[in-house]
Every structure is written in structure tokens, then in C-alpha cells.
Amino acid sequence: MSNALPPDLIRLVVSLAVVVGFAFANAAVLVLVERKVCGHIQRRPGPFEVGPHGLLQTAIDGLKLMGKQILVPDNADTKLFRLAPILSFVPPIAALIVVPFAKVLQVRDLDIGVLFILSLAAVNVLAILVAGWSSANKYSLFGAIRAVAQNVAYEIPLLLSLLVVVMWVGSFRMSDIVAAQDGFWFVFTPMGFVAFLIYFVTGLAETNRAPFDLPEAESELTAGFHTEYAGMGFGLFFLGEYTNMLLMAAIATTCFLGGWNGPWFLAVSGTGVVATLIQLCWFLVKVYGIILVMVWIRWTFPRVRFDQLLNFCWKVLIPISMANLVATAVVAKLVPLG
Amino acid sequence: MIPRPDPSQETLVLNMGPQHPSTHGVLRVVLRLDGEYVLEAHPVIGYGHRMHELMGEVRTSSGFYANVGRMDYGGALSFGHGHVLAVEKLAGIEVPPRAEYIRVITTEMNRIASHLLWFGAFLLDLGAFTPILYSFDDREFILDLLEHVTGARLTFSYHRIGGVARDLDDKFIEGTRVFLRRMRERLDVYDKLVTGNVIFRKRAEGVGVIDKDTVLKYGATGPVARGSGLAYDIRRVEPYSVYPDLEFEIPTATEGDSFARYRVRLAEIEQCLRIVEQALDRLPDGPVQAKVPKKVKLGPGDAYQAVEAARGELDYYLVGDGSDVPYRMKIRPPSFSNLSLLGEVCQGVLLSDLVTIMGSLDLVIPEIDR
Amino acid sequence: MVDEVRAALEAAGAERADAVDHGALGVHVDARVPAGALRKAVEVLRGWEFLIEDVVGVDAAPEMMVVYHFNHVGGGCRVRLRVLTDRESPEVPTIQDIFPGANWHEREQHDFYGVMFAGHPDLSPLILPEDAGDLRPLRKKDKRLKSLGDVLPAFAPPEAGGEDA
């Protein structure tokens, strides 16, 4: 039997299952973490009733969401309405394929890894647009309009800041980028630091996290693009949002924070089981550190206004990232890497 | 006129409300939008109308009294205070000084609670989730104290014609002194947490500017008027109760924008603390209830009583016909006039600014609808 | 201040403008204005720093009364204007173009009493539902209706004895 199936395929299927499972587990944990962190920021314990310290709260909530009827509004475009949550959830999971969790823990090491991730991440805006349009609800439409303008604008500085890294390394391949950071992380170079800050801010905007959560600004648009979604339709948007956060943090870790590399004195670059576990730990610590900062920001800041958001992008972020890119090009020419 | 959809124009008519997170109740604002810009904002009210004025004309004053707290769930004691003052004025009843001091102490505590509620809700409108839980923490402290003395947490029904229902006890007085100390520290926390935040400043400064003349034309009062540079506070310009004996300032700001109203309200909390502190120090001994005839006969004649509620000037106009049931009872709630200027202020602002402006007006819809 | 306002109101056509005891009645100036002179009187108040408080209807026989309250922002001068109008078809001129804040107050009184505010652009129901029609909830039914002189002695016919508020 084992001869009938190519081992590569088995490896692919198993890794895909692991990645999808990881995405779900990540969302479940993040929802709980978000609520707990939010609770402690707000001087309350957060969910506390289900299970010890409320640890099972997310599981119960997930069950509740699955048990709910999926309602489609009368005037909605039914096909698109049902498609949108899937569009929002699948691409970020697919993008996880090229993320190097450790030296050997990577499903596919594409030579266009960064491009692959960014193109899949861009589908998110399509999902929001489809959801907002098909709902036949004015608030949803407003959410969609905002999302498109916001994501299109913020995609530019996002790409420019990643280009800094790509230009430095000279490769789109994720494993090359990590390997280039063996010893020093890009975040500790002046250009890398600026690019990291820009990337972080645009990442917040791309994942529609506060203070840039305008597409779902609930005090203005009730719930924005997902106003009409109930049950698992909403649940999938939720999963998509948290997977997107994970993806954004994973790219930041890979491109700026040295990926699975530990700090200098703790770097482990082997391919054995123990070394892989250590590398995985470093990777996850960095990823969840970034996510915690995102959560922290969400519960601390008010929401920006729409025009301020776009002005900030076009007038501040894009010029700075352009200048940063030019500076990187000059320096990379003068000081070849390695 | 309520905006209607017009296919010949490239505008969108949006019904904000009656159920909407930032209309704080059942207010409906019909908007005509050009993209994100508000061309026209038309508030539609009356969804929570309960005809309190008619109830006031068929019940005795003490029978109606329980209704007034239901109009403003945020600052119910000011509404009660105004009502009993109006009835006492028309019936010619003298109130013992201790009762009047107690009324002022509890009303001011209630005013702080109301401003704290507003503080949280306003920032929630701006998308900041956390401050509301900080301010509710302090508000709980006040509500617990008031519950101890009045028996209720929101609709207190604490006043009686000619006095108050229960005397203050040591537990309340001690607790209030603890609260005064705590609240002064907490105001600094609020300042650090919110006032300097750059996103908050950008959202609130210069948004919803209401000039002096608009305030006069629309009869806006309370922090809305004071944020526009008018030092108009009934407690000072038309003193009632024991306010003339107490030292406090009327905080004002001249910018007239949402941030000015924010600053005025926070400064008012400080002044309320001063008032409570002084009133506690001067609290005289004596009865808390005057001798009042079984049937409080009103008039014939009419009387007008203005008080400063948490949201602005609250007026009761009572016409008595010599019986114990008022012939006419008119309530002039502050939010009614404050909301009526929304249409003028909101021309050409962004949708997000509309939410900011509505939040900064501190609307309580049941009081508008009565 | 009070005397100036009284004089100005009388010059604007008020029948009488009395200074009354604020402590007992809650207002400083109590003026009786014929419907025709109302707008002029209100314009006088608009010229000073008065803000509009409310517009109140009082249903009585034989005539009903519409009461306007204004207050000076500096305090010390709260003005009441009383306008008498026919009970069957009450009509007074609107003041919403002078004080836009009166717009809602007038609509509210139109809801409750059916008072026509001549010149008002939109008297559609404000607080009552759109289909309220002729509900007029605050109109007194026959049993409850009293004569104006009984509730406000100042308005009693001279022979009944009541005089001067």
C-alpha cells in the first residue's frame, strides 16, 4: 500500500491536516487569550464560569455558534452571502503552508514564499467586500467600502516594508530569509526597524484590528460587514480574523524577528527532534508576543476616523516606507550581505 | 422633513436607529449621506414615549413622584429634586435644612455617577472599550452608597414632599468620605488614560463645534452650553436649595467642540466632589421631613422650578387648581433641547463624527421622549 | 434688567408685563401678550442673550393658553409670555424662525393640544406616532376642564374678584 502513495503526498496531507488543526486551535486559544487579557486590562477576571478559570468558555461558545441557524436575509445574494465566510477563512490557512515554524517544519518551501502569502492575504479584502455587498444591508455596504479603501491603501506600505527584507536577502523564499537572519535579526538594523514598525501598523490595519477596525466599527456601523451573519457564518469570520492575525505575526517573526532562530547565545540550528521543538518554541513565543501586543493595543486605544486613517497611510506611511526602501537599496549596494 | 430616498441624487438615506449601539436607547436619526459625509441629520424621537405629563395630571403629586426618576435613569435624583421643589413651591411648604442638605449631597453623588456613565459611553462611542469598565467601577461605589440610603440603585424615589424618605446614617457618611478621597485619585487616572491620547484628541478636538448663538437659539443647557463658553448653571444663575451656601466653580470651556464638553464634564466631577465635601461638613441636625398635610393642595396658580440636572437645565412648570392633583404639569428635560440642535451641527460632518457629537451631547432618550 | 425687559416687552405690544416674585413663582417677568404681538416680543428677547426654555400649552375654558418661557444666560431674568388663543381652533404664530429651538417645542404642543403654529414648516407628529391623527392627549375632557380664572386667578374676570399675579 505504501508504495501506491508517494511519500511526498502523505507528507503533504499530514502537514495540511496539522496546519488546519493548528489554525483552529490557534483561534480557540486566541479568543480565550483575548478575552482574558481584555479582562485583566479592564480590571476584571474575564470569563470565569465554564471550566477552571473559564478555560472552556471558547469551546462552549464554538458549540453555541455551530448550533445556531444560519440565516440569510431576504434580499441577500444567497450564493455570495454563503461564500464570503469561506473566502475569509480559507486563504489565511492556505498561506500558513509556506510559514517556516522550524527549520524542517514547513509544508512547502516555495521560492516565492513572501509573494504567495501576500497574495493570499489580499483575498481577505475580497471576502469582506463580498460579505458587505451580498448582505443587502447599508451598514454592511459601508463596512465593505471602508474595508476596500483601507486595505488597498495599506497594502502598499505593507509590501514596501517587506520589500526591504526581500531586497536585503535577495530572495522571496521564506527559508532564505530566516537563514539570512542567523546571528542578527533585521529588526536590529535601522532600516529593518523602521520597516518592522511600518509592517506592524499596516498589519493591524490589514487584519482590521483596533484602532483600525473601521469595517466593523460597532459604534458607527453596528457590526459593519458581518452585521447580517449569525451562527457559524460569523464564526468563520471570527476564525478568519484570528488566523489572519496569526499569519501577520508569523510573517513579522519570519521577516524581522529571525523566524525560528533563538537569540545569539541560544540559537539552535539542528534538524533533530529536540532542536525542532526548541525552534518551534522560539517561533511561537515571538508570534504570540506580537499577537499579545495587538490585543493590548485593541483594548487601550480609541478607533481612528476614516479620513485620518487614509491620510496617515498616504501621507505618512507610504513616504516613509519609500524612503526606507531607497535607503535599503543604497546600503545593500554598498554593504553586500554576508 | 425626514429625508426620503431620492433616486435622482447620488445620496444614500440611512436609518441610524431606533436600535443602534451609539444612539443610547431608542433614538432614530435619519441621515442623508454622500459617501461618508452627512448631508442631513434628522433625529426622530418618541419611541419611548409614555406620556408622563398626562400621568402627572391625573395623579396626586406624591403619587406621580415615582414617575420622574424613570425619565432619566442616569441622574434620577435631580429629576426628583426638581419635582419636589416645584410642588413645595406651589404648595408653600418649608423644608427642614437637613433634608435640603441631604438632597444636595445625594443629587451631587448621582450627578457624578451620571457623568461617569457618560464618560464610559462616550469613549465606547469612539471605539475605546476599556474606560467604561474603569468608570463603572467608581460608579458602582456611588450606587452602592445610594442604594444603602435610598434602597434603590437607579430609580431612587428618595425624596418626599417636604423632606426625604430616610435620614443619612454614619455608614453612608463614612463611605462617602472614602469615596471622595478615592475619586480624586481616580480622576488623575482618567486623565492619564484618556485625555492625552492622541487618537482621542484627534477624534474629539474641533468636532461638533457649537457656538454661543446656536446654544441660545436652541436653548441647549448644561455642559453643552458651558462647553461653548456660557457660564450657565442653574445652581449659580438661579440658586435654589442650599447651593448659595456652598462654594464651587462653574467650569467652562470656550471651544465649543466635543473635547470642550468632555473637559467640562470631567471638571464638573471635581466640583461635585467639593460640593459633597462641604455639604457633609455643614450637614445640620434636625428632622428630615416637614409636617405636610395629607392632601398637598396646589394653587390655584402656577409655579416654575428650574434645577440643574446632570445633562442641563431641567424645568417643571406646574399649574394647580386648588386640588391635590396638578392641573397641568410640564417637564422640560435638558436632552430634548440639546438634541434639537443635532441637525444643525451635523451638516457636512463624517459619519464617525456624528457618533462623536451625539456621544458628547450625553443624550438620555427616555428623558427626551418622556 | 427686569425693568428694561418689562419696558421693552410692553413697547413690543405686550398687554402687561409684571415683575413678579421669583422666589414664589419661579419667574421674574410675567407678561401677557396678544397673539399678534408675540413675534415682536420674542424678537426683543432674541436681541438680548435669552435662551428658549419651552413652549407649554394649558388647556382651559373658555380660552386655552400657550406659555413661553425664556431665561437670560446671566440669570436674574426669567421671562414668561402668556398667549391666549381660541380653544376650538387654537392658533398662534410660530417663533421657530426666531428661536429654532422652538421648532420641536411647538411640534410637541401641536401633538398634545392641536395648537396650530402659523408659519411652522413641519407640524408632523414629533413625539406621538405618525398615525396619531387627532389624538390630542392633553386636551382636558369635559369633567376635568376648568375655567382659566379658576386655575390662574390672575385671569379671572374682574367681577370674580381675583386680580394681579
Side-chain angles (χ1 to χ4, degrees), chain A residues 41-44 138-139 142 146 211 218-222 298-299 301-308, chain B residues 12-13 15-16 20-22 33 35-36 125-126 129-130 133-134 137 186 197 202-203 350 352-353:
Chain A
I41 287 176
Q42 295 168 350
R43 318 198 334 158
R44 57 191 176 85
K138 288 175 184 172
Y139 291 115
F142 263 105
R146 284 179 173 193
E218 76 292 310
S219 61
E220 294 148 31
L221 304 179
T222 58
R298 171 168 180 189
W299 299 108
F301 283 119
R303 183 182 306 116
V304 299
R305 209 170 59 198
F306 189 57
D307 57 330
Q308 294 167 348
Chain B
L12 178 76
V13 172
N15 265 307
M16 205 165 153
H20 187 281
S22 61
L33 297 170
E36 290 257 336
D125 285 344
L126 294 180
F129 295 82
T130 300
L133 285 132
Y134 279 64
D137 199 7
R186 297 283 288 176
N197 184 301
K202 291 235 170 193
R203 288 289 309 271
L350 283 161
S352 321
D353 287 344

Side-chain angles (χ1 to χ4, degrees), chain C residues 77-97:
Chain C
C77 190
R78 193 177 279 276
V79 177
R80 172 184 295 156
L81 306 179
R82 300 178 194 264
V83 182
L84 293 180
T85 179
D86 181 42
R87 187 166 184 267
E88 294 311 314
S89 56
E91 181 171 325
V92 289
T94 181
I95 60 163
Q96 69 90 27
D97 47 341

